[in-house]
Amino acid sequence: MPLTDDHRQRDRAEDRDTHDSSAIVFEGVTKRYSDGTVAVESLDLTLPAGELTVLVGPSGCGKTTTLRMINRLETLSGGRLLIGNRDVMSVDATLLRRQIGYVMQHSGLFPHKTIADNIAVVPRLLGWDKKRIRERVAELVELVGLDEALAKRYPHQLSGGQQQRVGLARALAADPPILLMDEPFAAVDPIVRAHLQEEFLSLQRRVQKTIVMVTHDIDEAMKLGDRVAIFAQGGKLAQFDTPARLLSAPASDFVIDFIGADRELRRLALERLDSLELDAGLTAPRDEIVARARSYLQQAGSSGIVVLDEHRAPLGWLDWETLKHADDRARIDSLPLKPWRHRLYMHDNLRSALNALISAPGEVMPVLNDQGRYLGVIDQLQLTRRLS
Ligand SMILES: Nc1ncnc2c1ncn2[C@@H]1O[C@H](COP(=O)(O)OP(=O)(O)OP(=O)(O)O)[C@@H](O)[C@H]1O
Ligand SMILES: [Mg+2]
């Protein structure tokens, strides 16, 4: 039986668990605050090394507390927490924190230090020389997409989104193997957030840190997480799985409610067009004449045809209504072709495909290779079949 991606991912994860020193393991971990509030209850959870795990759940369900136990900013009330087989409670807290980058829920920058000095906090503690620190700060400012002119400012002179980027730069400064991030993109508007998420994903593909990230945005969780832990009130784990598994096999009604009614659409977002068999579709070169194009359409019983230019890039959609009244000998590129509003490539996901299809002038949507050349078409039926 061929291995599914899920299996493969799991095997890889297990491999890393036993070999890597940055896997994080919660064993029956409980956190009870002094007033009796149980923030986390008997949590069993293994966060594989080199993966991005997202903790998600309603406000007050214990996400921040869970995160802060990893770097011992909160003390466990019960159970064990291991990082690469070492019990965190047996490691010196200060040393531990130097190996773990932490992006706080509300940027948590030092107000009286400049941006550059904020970023340099851990390298200074580690005793790096001035030149090395200066170079590292410049590198990080660029990495998180900040203007270098901002480095001399103080936190209150930055927007919320800029402050969050500084928080991220600071957490990455000493290149720690583990990164904890508490709602790192919450203070930015949706467009900047989407941009930061993309940057962050590509960064993670390069650096492969063990990342634990908190959010209460399920879209963000599904987009960024290799695995997602969904918490219910009281720090109880509702389900821990890959995004694909959460969508295809939600463990409870709570999970279904949390993921939301558009679960099916989310599933589409996880699959790429190259997982579908494209239809060859009906095409004609731009210099074809009307009479011939008409007979193609009639033979195929299609309502329109994709007109291609000399490089096989789609020029537009030619429908039967337009062809019907045209002069037999005219070239089809002299007729009013309907352009597509979107371009769809093989690496796009099926949700983008659905969006493109909905606004397409005909009932099919052309799919292109990276060079923009025509490969085939998809239609709504193919997507519907994939959903069921
Ligand atoms: N220092 C504290 N003393 C007592 N209770 C606390 C303390 N810190 C947090 N709590 C309580 O523990 C529970 C979990 O809090 P936590 O901050 O971990 O939630 P969260 O999931 O991060 O929420 P949010 O999404 O709002 O940030 C909440 O009921 C909260 O009121
Ligand atoms: Mg929180």
Side-chain angles (χ1 to χ4, degrees), residues 36-52:
T37 307
V38 177
V40 177
E41 194 179 340
S42 316
L43 178 63
D44 290 309
L45 188 60
T46 295
L47 313 182
E51 286 196 10
L52 198 167

Side-chain angles (χ1 to χ4, degrees), residues 112-127:
H112 304 300
K113 285 185 198 284
T114 64
I115 297 310
D117 286 342
N118 263 285
I119 296 174
V121 165
V122 177
R124 285 229 169 84
L125 285 173
L126 293 173

Side-chain angles (χ1 to χ4, degrees), residues 60 63-65 105 182-183 214:
K63 304 180 295 294
T64 297
T65 305
Q105 186 161 4
D182 201 344
E183 312 219 9
V214 167

Side-chain angles (χ1 to χ4, degrees), residues 108-351:
L109 301 178
F110 299 109
H112 304 300
K113 285 185 198 284
T114 64
I115 297 310
D117 286 342
N118 263 285
I119 296 174
V121 165
V122 177
R124 285 229 169 84
L125 285 173
L126 293 173
W128 292 14
D129 66 50
K130 280 199 177 129
K131 179 163 174 285
R132 186 171 170 207
I133 292 178
R134 210 173 335 113
E135 285 168 0
R136 181 63 178 154
V137 168
E139 188 183 6
L140 285 161
V141 163
E142 194 191 324
L143 186 72
V144 299
L146 282 172
D147 191 328
E148 60 181 328
L150 299 182
K152 293 190 193 72
R153 294 200 195 166
Y154 289 88
H156 74 273
Q157 297 167 315
L158 264 53
S159 74
Q162 288 168 335
Q163 287 184 35
Q164 283 196 326
R165 287 172 188 235
V166 177
L168 180 59
R170 182 175 65 175
L172 290 169
D175 199 20
I178 297 175
L179 193 56
L180 311 179
M181 309 170 77
D182 201 344
E183 312 219 9
F185 309 128
V188 293
D189 65 72
I191 293 169
V192 177
R193 186 183 314 157
H195 178 67
L196 274 181
Q197 288 169 342
E198 288 301 330
E199 277 178 23
F200 187 70
L201 270 182
S202 82
L203 179 69
Q204 168 63 354
R205 276 192 283 269
R206 276 177 283 137
V207 298
Q208 294 280 302
K209 293 184 183 300
T210 304
I211 301 178
V212 191
M213 174 171 164
V214 167
T215 178
H216 45 247
D217 175 355
I218 184 70
D219 281 315
E220 183 167 272
M222 295 299 213
K223 180 171 169 188
L224 298 183
D226 293 311
R227 281 155 211 270
V228 177
I230 299 183
F231 284 84
Q233 284 307 339
K236 293 198 192 78
L237 189 60
Q239 189 167 356
F240 179 49
D241 240 318
T242 60
R245 291 274 308 160
L246 286 172
L247 292 167
S248 60
S252 64
D253 288 345
F254 175 82
V255 173
I256 291 174
D257 282 349
F258 200 81
I259 293 176
D262 51 354
R263 181 156 78 93
E264 296 299 325
L265 287 178
R266 290 176 198 284
R267 241 173 76 196
L268 284 181
L270 295 175
E271 285 187 66
R272 291 171 17 143
L273 267 170
D274 44 22
S275 70
L276 284 184
E277 192 112 8
L278 294 185
D279 197 286
L282 197 58
T283 63
R286 65 184 306 163
D287 59 359
E288 190 59 277
I289 58 163
V290 165
R292 285 248 284 283
R294 225 186 259 143
S295 78
Y296 295 155
L297 246 69
Q298 278 167 325
Q299 275 169 27
S302 166
S303 65
I305 193 163
V306 176
V307 181
L308 301 177
D309 73 7
E310 37 288 286
H311 305 293
R312 292 187 61 76
L315 270 179
W317 175 252
L318 177 57
D319 61 24
W320 177 249
E321 284 306 303
T322 311
L323 264 180
K324 205 165 59 178
H325 305 293
D327 174 7
D328 276 359
R329 309 201 147 275
R331 270 172 64 134
I332 55 176
D333 62 358
S334 68
L335 302 177
L337 304 178
K338 297 187 175 127
W340 289 274
R341 245 195 284 156
H342 300 268
R343 281 166 161 265
L344 208 54
Y345 296 91
M346 278 307 261
H347 56 252
D348 284 328
N349 69 51
L350 299 188
R351 191 166 177 175

